Amino acid sequence: MTGSAAGPGAGRFAPSPSGDLHIGNIRSGLLTYARARQTGRRFLWRIEDLDRVRPGSAESQLAVFAELGVRPDEEPLVQSERLEVYARAVEVLDEAGLVYECYCSRKDIAQAPSAPHAPPGAYPGTCRNLGAGERDEQRRRLAANGRQPALRLRTDNREHHVDDVILGRVGAVVDDFVLRRGDGVFAYNLTVVVDDGASGVDEVVRGDDLASSAPRQAYLARLLGIREPEWVHVPLVLNSERKRLAKRDGAVTYQQLCAQGWTRADIFAWMQRSLGLAEAGTEWTDIDAMVAGADFDRLDRAPAIFVPPEPA
């Protein structure tokens, strides 16, 4: 499986349609758009709807960005319409002897002894070298409980690195990660690599909580003959307790902030402050100002803290 879409490279924003986007999600999407426009790339939108889906969310998310002056350059790619493509990618890996069934539950993995030098949570290889008889027994056990095996990638279980525009050198051990879950859903690390390759995405801008996934995705891209993208992992937006921002923190979505009296200009002014670029000249009031002023070499590397406005 090689090649990618023709034409100029692209950046992409790929939210899950599980609800309204909060201000941190929106910031990542706007930064992706700004970077694409600055570098002459297409700006693409992907609807990652293989797992949690709330009806109407995808349309609402697109509408919010349209109100902020941002529209994708092509029709959104919808993951649920691409199951055959993901299945074929797994077949390619399987034909190369790089796929095996895994019968472990999360509890099994948590309780298993870790491999030497493996990071916490890494798969310990329990099912990697089972014999045919053992596999048959495990399949029957799962089937009796209405379950099926997951599929894992047989990796070299070594540390791999990527170069990130903001973070520099990022390393992580690439363990035997899941390609298709036990419930039949294709895993994130597989689908994003396949979709980025198919869409010609050659630069990935996203939150730095996903930086540790980049070495896995780069490793898989090489196996599938897909060009590894460039990486730009931006700092997260956190709540006042320095924890991941969530909707329970108050008025954090675009709709909630508008209900509290925020304007689009207020949104962009906050974006500028949160990125440490408030002293960088023109005040941002719209997406054009953000595109012109978002200097990725000068972004504040620290997480941004968002304090929601008090209820009106």
Side-chain angles (χ1 to χ4, degrees):
M1 176 172 290
T2 60
S4 63
R12 48 79 169 171
F13 184 48
S16 298
S18 56
D20 294 332
L21 298 172
H22 63 58
I23 193 74
N25 306 137
I26 293 170
R27 190 176 82 150
S28 293
L30 293 177
L31 283 170
T32 302
Y33 178 84
R35 181 79 176 182
R37 288 293 175 262
Q38 290 174 358
T39 57
R41 291 178 165 90
R42 294 168 293 141
F43 173 71
L44 305 182
W45 191 287
R46 185 161 69 228
I47 299 173
E48 297 194 340
D49 62 344
L50 297 184
D51 204 346
R52 297 176 299 155
V53 176
R54 181 173 152 191
S57 290
E59 294 79 5
S60 175
Q61 292 169 355
L62 281 159
V64 165
F65 270 71
E67 286 192 36
L68 293 171
V70 173
R71 290 177 174 81
D73 293 320
E74 299 175 8
E75 285 296 311
L77 183 149
V78 182
Q79 287 192 330
S80 60
E81 298 174 355
R82 294 174 51 79
L83 302 184
E84 292 183 1
V85 178
Y86 308 137
R88 177 56 188 154
V90 173
E91 288 177 7
V92 168
L93 296 167
D94 192 27
E95 290 164 0
L98 297 175
V99 179
Y100 65 91
E101 293 182 347
C102 176
Y103 315 98
C104 299
S105 65
R106 290 182 181 178
K107 183 178 179 181
D108 294 333
I109 296 170
Q111 293 179 343
S114 298
H117 311 300
Y123 183 65
T126 307
C127 300
R128 182 183 175 102
N129 297 311
L130 297 180
E134 293 173 297
R135 294 189 184 281
D136 287 340
E137 179 182 347
Q138 292 293 343
R139 288 191 200 102
R140 289 193 294 270
R141 177 180 65 83
L142 290 186
N145 292 295
R147 297 169 54 203
Q148 64 175 333
L151 298 179
R152 287 187 181 271
L153 180 68
R154 190 183 298 273
T155 71
D156 61 10
N157 279 281
R158 296 171 56 189
E159 183 166 306
H160 291 265
H161 299 83
V162 301
D163 292 315
D164 186 89
V165 168
I166 293 178
L167 301 179
R169 195 80 164 154
V170 176
V173 172
V174 177
D175 63 346
D176 289 359
F177 58 88
V178 170
L179 299 170
R180 191 196 70 197
R181 300 182 338 204
D183 60 4
V185 175
F186 291 103
Y188 171 78
N189 283 310
L190 173 75
T191 60
V192 298
V193 169
V194 171
D195 289 342
D196 285 347
S199 300
V201 171
D202 63 349
E203 184 175 79
V204 172
V205 180
R206 61 187 183 184
D208 61 13
D209 57 326
L210 294 173
S212 62
S213 296
R216 284 180 169 182
Q217 292 159 17
Y219 181 93
L220 180 57
R222 290 192 292 272
L223 293 179
L224 290 172
I226 294 170
R227 176 185 173 186
E228 177 189 345
E230 297 179 9
W231 307 94
V232 185
H233 287 94
V234 299
L236 292 181
V237 177
L238 305 178
N239 65 16
S240 57
E241 297 178 351
R242 303 190 68 81
K243 296 179 180 178
R244 184 188 294 270
L245 190 67
K247 292 165 190 174
R248 62 177 175 273
D249 291 317
V252 297
T253 70
Y254 178 79
Q255 292 88 340
Q256 290 170 330
L257 290 169
C258 288
Q260 294 297 321
W262 279 42
T263 65
R264 280 174 287 183
D266 292 328
I267 295 287
F268 285 105
W270 182 85
M271 295 290 163
Q272 186 176 22
R273 294 193 302 273
S274 76
L275 294 165
L277 300 175
E279 304 302 324
T282 305
E283 182 178 343
W284 298 357
T285 58
D286 57 26
I287 188 59
D288 292 336
M290 184 170 181
V291 170
D295 185 343
F296 282 76
D297 291 330
R298 299 181 60 245
L299 296 189
D300 192 338
R301 276 21 178 197
I305 304 301
F306 183 73
V307 179
E310 294 294 328

